[in-house]
Amino acid sequence: MSTSAASSPRRLTRKGQETRQRIVGAAADLIFEQGVARTTIEEVRAAAGVSSSQLYHYFDDKPALVRAVIEHQSDVIVGGQETFDLSTLEGIRTWRDWVVQHQRETSCVGGCPIGSLGSELAETDSQGRDQVAAGFKRWEASIRRGLREMHAQGRLSSETDPDALALALLAALQGGLLLTQIERDTTALEAALDAMLDLIARRS
């Protein structure tokens, strides 16, 4: 097995794309449940229902698979974020309620799929850390687009910096998710998001 950082780009058939996505999905679930270090290639292979040769056809090594998982989790989170209209206070409140409800439905287990990867990889895998950082930048940009639109439409005061506000909202979310995971209670998450909503409302 190669020790290269990532798999070489390959043109895939539709069936190949489906197989690759099944592998990534299985790896994402296992890594979310038990972390990168404790998840083995064999566990991923078994969960995805593929042979070793199939798995290594798509991924040169475990780091390449982990990076595919980071990309997958970023796609899922940003895609979910973009189903909400963050250009209005009402839309942000709707998103806030969804985030809190999702944590309740999962019993506050697991934390943030991107944040947990970042915590595990930050000091051990510089390429993985960079990719997690890129995922957070995508997430921040999704929030920023809504707040910039809110600002452009005059729904935020002219002196408000929507970019700084977007970063603060993401930071509040991450801190709230971490405490919610540790305490198995959404109180901290609700407090963090409500404080940001109050700030946005005061600047509306």
Side-chain angles (χ1 to χ4, degrees):
M1 182 171 59
S2 167
T3 57
S4 64
S7 299
S8 301
R10 298 183 177 101
R11 295 179 64 85
L12 301 178
T13 63
R14 180 177 177 180
K15 183 177 180 181
Q17 291 173 341
E18 291 172 351
T19 301
R20 184 184 186 279
Q21 186 54 42
R22 190 165 73 251
I23 294 169
V24 173
D29 289 343
L30 286 167
I31 287 172
F32 184 67
E33 292 170 3
Q34 58 193 34
V36 173
R38 294 180 58 194
T39 298
T40 67
I41 288 290
E42 180 57 29
E43 286 177 312
V44 175
R45 185 201 65 74
V50 298
S51 66
S52 294
S53 61
Q54 281 179 300
L55 193 148
Y56 291 131
H57 173 73
Y58 299 106
F59 303 100
D60 292 338
D61 49 24
K62 184 177 177 181
L65 178 56
V66 170
R67 281 188 282 282
V69 167
I70 296 170
E71 182 177 2
H72 166 80
Q73 297 290 33
S74 299
D75 288 344
V76 169
I77 286 175
V78 173
Q81 178 79 68
E82 291 177 345
T83 64
F84 295 91
D85 180 8
L86 301 189
S87 69
T88 68
L89 191 58
E90 294 75 17
I92 298 172
R93 285 197 178 106
T94 300
W95 166 75
R96 174 266 187 212
D97 292 344
W98 179 85
V99 169
V100 171
Q101 183 59 31
H102 179 70
Q103 287 301 304
R104 290 172 178 162
E105 290 172 356
T106 59
S107 301
C108 304
V109 173
C112 171
I114 299 180
S116 59
L117 282 164
S119 295
E120 189 168 2
L121 299 175
E123 308 305 333
T124 61
D125 181 349
S126 60
Q127 289 185 319
R129 182 184 66 243
D130 288 345
Q131 192 169 355
V132 170
F136 274 125
K137 288 297 183 184
R138 287 179 59 193
W139 197 348
E140 180 187 344
S142 176
I143 299 171
R144 186 168 60 241
R145 282 192 294 274
L147 293 179
R148 281 183 175 179
E149 177 64 20
M150 196 173 181
H151 188 263
Q153 295 297 323
R155 293 192 290 268
L156 279 176
S157 61
S158 58
E159 65 270 16
T160 297
D161 182 347
D163 294 1
L165 198 57
L167 179 58
L169 180 54
L170 179 58
L173 171 63
Q174 287 302 305
L177 285 172
L178 177 60
L179 289 174
T180 287
Q181 178 188 8
I182 292 170
E183 297 172 356
R184 294 292 194 260
D185 184 275
T186 62
T187 300
L189 177 62
E190 293 177 67
L193 294 180
D194 287 346
M196 289 304 303
L197 276 164
D198 287 346
L199 175 61
I200 294 169
R202 289 197 303 272
R203 297 191 176 187
S204 296

